[in-house]
């Protein structure tokens, strides 16, 4: 399994270029920048839109800048409805590899 790990993109995710032949992308938090939940919310939704376009497995674990998720303005279903596995204090096994995400 070829994995691409990213984090702390702080709203600059659209400047990244997906490497070739990736099976799984893991983003471990801080897709957004503003810590004010009302400003943070549209940033997270823009990230979800971008992230969902990749045709591979995707995992997201929130970070300390993702305050709209912390305040439940953005919900885990906003990720899972777009085929993004959302992990918060839980684990998942993919290809016999256990991934645990604890924000």
């Amino acid at each position: 399994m070829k994995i691409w790990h990213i984090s702390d993109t702080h709203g600059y995710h659209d400047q990244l270029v997906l490497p070739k032949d990736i099976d799984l992308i893991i983003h471990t938090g801080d897709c957004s920048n503003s810590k004010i939940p009302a400003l943070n919310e549209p940033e997270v939704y823009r990230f979800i839109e971008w992230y969902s376009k990749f045709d591979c497995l995707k995992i997201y674990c929130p970070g300390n800048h993702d305050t709209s998720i912390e305040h439940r303005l953005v919900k885990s279903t906003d990720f899972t409805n777009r085929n993004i596995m959302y992990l918060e204090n839980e684990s998942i096994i993919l290809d016999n590899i256990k991934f645990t995400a604890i924000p």
Side-chain angles (χ1 to χ4, degrees), residues 4-15:
W4 184 36
H5 172 253
I6 55 178
S7 70
D8 296 281
T9 51
H10 294 284
Y12 294 101
H13 49 268
D14 57 352
Q15 295 180 17

Side-chain angles (χ1 to χ4, degrees), residues 68-82:
S68 62
I69 298 171
E70 178 183 355
H71 287 86
R72 303 300 184 230
L73 299 173
V74 177
K75 297 174 178 44
S76 62
T77 55
D78 293 318
F79 288 86
T80 58
N81 288 343
R82 300 299 304 264

Side-chain angles (χ1 to χ4, degrees), residues 17-68:
V17 177
L18 179 71
K20 294 187 185 305
D21 303 321
I22 294 297
D23 300 303
L24 171 65
I25 307 170
I26 303 172
H27 193 298
T28 51
D30 294 352
C31 69
S32 52
N33 196 44
S34 176
K35 285 197 167 189
I36 300 168
L39 298 176
N40 185 273
E41 181 181 11
E43 293 176 350
V44 173
Y45 280 124
R46 280 192 299 273
F47 170 79
I48 292 171
E49 180 67 27
W50 172 82
Y51 201 38
S52 67
K53 292 179 182 178
F54 294 115
D55 190 27
C56 61
L57 297 172
K58 298 167 288 290
I59 294 175
Y60 190 80
C61 174
N64 66 316
H65 274 254
D66 301 325
T67 57
S68 62

Side-chain angles (χ1 to χ4, degrees), residues 80-91:
T80 58
N81 288 343
R82 300 299 304 264
N83 294 318
I84 301 166
M85 292 172 269
Y86 180 88
L87 298 181
E88 185 175 341
N89 300 313
E90 57 192 320
S91 299

